[in-house]
Amino acid sequence: MKEFEIVVNEETEIISVNDFFTFSIKYHNLSSISDTITESEKIIVRWSTTGIWLIDDDELLIKEDGDWKDVSEEFSFFLDWHNPDSAHCSISLRMLFNAVVDGLKYNKWKTFGSFHEHSIRIIEIAQHYREKIIQEEQENIQEKLKEILLKESFRDLVEFTRNKSNCKSIDKIRKGFEALDRLNNLKPKIPQDSQFIKDKKKQITKVPALDSSFNKKKLAKKKWSELPNSVKVELLFEYEIPEEEMEKYWNGTDYIQREVYILKDLN
């Protein structure tokens, strides 16, 4: 077994793969003038390959014999030239990267009759990974919108929404910042490095109900009395607020503000 690096921007994950693992793309050479075009193969991961690195969706590097090589231009040209449906559905380097990672981590696209060889047809890359890319982009947009609400000043947000929305939207943003101020005022001023915080962290365990943004959306729409006791415990610990005050604040805030301001840092 050998160690293989999977890198996205600056985040690295090390996995173990068989020394003879390979990954290739099956395609028909569209530049061929033959009457019958046989299926060709382009190898992406060889026996000597020990890493793949995607940078900002448009730069792809392969690690061969300990050295990183930029293959962005080579692979982009290959994907554009040999994709039979390139006019309607282009194949990005990110799609190719996801296909290789699925082969490496989950043994997907294993070639029939071979244990170590993995391959995918070029047309299958677009079919299987287009929706995944769209979903990831939508999630990124939602995260960026939340960051704008949290980081930008009230004045900038009002200016931004003037031409995009009506007075109700502006009023909702104003109430959101007022809600955040009220929450901060309720929290006692306890230093983050105090022994009290350290002792509490040893006692508390994470709540499974808060392990995803989807679950947080559902919880944000509930009244305080409808929340699971485990969630109430973690909220009260996180903000160090008496339960009666927390209940009053929670029920007096709409579900969007609960998700953005109250549940954002949990888990």
Side-chain angles (χ1 to χ4, degrees):
M1 302 291 284
K2 66 179 177 182
E3 289 189 343
F4 196 100
E5 294 181 66
I6 298 175
V7 189
V8 179
N9 292 326
E10 300 299 328
E11 296 184 7
T12 303
E13 180 179 3
I14 306 294
I15 64 172
S16 296
V17 298
N18 191 281
D19 291 334
F20 304 105
F21 178 94
T22 62
F23 189 92
S24 62
I25 299 176
K26 305 285 188 180
Y27 69 100
H28 292 284
N29 191 342
L30 300 184
S31 61
S32 174
I33 59 175
S34 302
D35 293 331
T36 302
I37 305 175
T38 59
E39 190 173 57
S40 301
E41 180 181 49
K42 183 174 181 63
I43 299 178
I44 308 299
V45 176
R46 308 172 185 274
W47 291 357
S48 58
T49 305
T50 55
I52 184 168
W53 186 353
L54 179 69
I55 305 175
D56 295 334
D57 296 346
D58 57 3
E59 189 173 351
L60 187 65
L61 286 74
I62 296 292
K63 191 174 185 180
E64 295 280 356
D65 299 319
D67 295 323
W68 288 102
K69 177 185 177 183
D70 190 341
V71 295
S72 309
E73 187 174 344
E74 174 191 348
F75 285 2
S76 292
F77 177 80
F78 168 80
L79 294 171
D80 289 340
W81 185 258
H82 295 292
N83 176 17
D85 196 29
S86 59
H88 301 96
C89 183
S90 61
I91 301 175
S92 66
L93 293 175
R94 186 176 176 187
M95 292 181 184
L96 173 60
F97 176 84
N98 287 338
V100 175
V101 170
D102 280 348
L104 286 161
K105 296 176 67 174
Y106 310 114
N107 220 23
K108 200 172 181 181
W109 314 118
K110 185 162 60 178
T111 304
F112 179 75
S114 173
F115 182 74
H116 306 305
E117 295 178 359
H118 294 66
S119 65
I120 185 172
R121 286 183 170 81
I122 192 168
I123 192 65
E124 291 179 321
I125 299 177
Q127 292 174 347
H128 289 279
Y129 291 97
R130 185 183 183 194
E131 289 187 3
K132 183 177 180 180
I133 295 297
I134 293 174
Q135 181 181 355
E136 289 177 353
E137 289 176 348
Q138 290 175 341
E139 290 175 354
N140 288 335
I141 290 173
Q142 291 178 351
E143 288 301 320
K144 288 180 181 178
L145 288 175
K146 284 186 179 181
E147 288 178 9
I148 290 175
L149 284 172
L150 292 171
K151 293 181 180 179
E152 293 296 321
S153 66
F154 171 71
R155 182 179 300 176
D156 290 339
L157 284 171
V158 171
E159 192 67 27
F160 175 78
T161 54
R162 236 169 225 169
N163 299 323
K164 300 289 182 181
S165 188
N166 52 28
C167 294
K168 291 183 179 179
S169 297
I170 297 175
D171 188 56
K172 182 178 288 188
I173 294 172
R174 179 182 59 78
K175 289 181 179 179
F177 278 94
E178 290 176 353
L180 181 60
D181 288 339
R182 286 190 286 117
L183 178 61
N184 289 332
N185 290 333
L186 287 173
K187 294 168 63 175
K189 309 303 181 183
I190 301 177
Q192 291 300 310
D193 59 348
S194 68
Q195 189 61 42
F196 175 83
I197 292 293
K198 293 177 182 177
D199 293 341
K200 285 292 185 180
K201 286 184 176 180
K202 291 179 181 178
Q203 301 171 15
I204 206 77
T205 56
K206 292 300 181 182
V207 179
L210 291 169
D211 62 357
S212 71
S213 59
F214 176 75
N215 285 336
K216 288 181 181 179
K217 287 180 184 294
K218 292 198 299 184
L219 289 170
K221 294 181 180 180
K222 294 179 180 291
K223 293 181 179 179
W224 180 263
S225 60
E226 298 172 340
L227 291 176
N229 288 332
S230 58
V231 175
K232 291 180 181 179
V233 168
E234 184 159 347
L235 287 170
L236 293 172
F237 164 74
E238 176 69 20
Y239 294 105
E240 291 294 334
I241 298 173
E243 183 170 0
E244 58 272 15
E245 293 186 23
M246 189 66 192
E247 180 178 6
K248 182 178 179 181
Y249 176 78
W250 179 275
N251 292 336
T253 308
D254 66 41
Y255 77 93
I256 295 177
Q257 294 162 7
R258 292 171 189 164
E259 181 189 357
V260 173
Y261 299 126
I262 306 175
L263 299 173
K264 67 182 180 68
D265 291 327
L266 300 186
N267 279 12

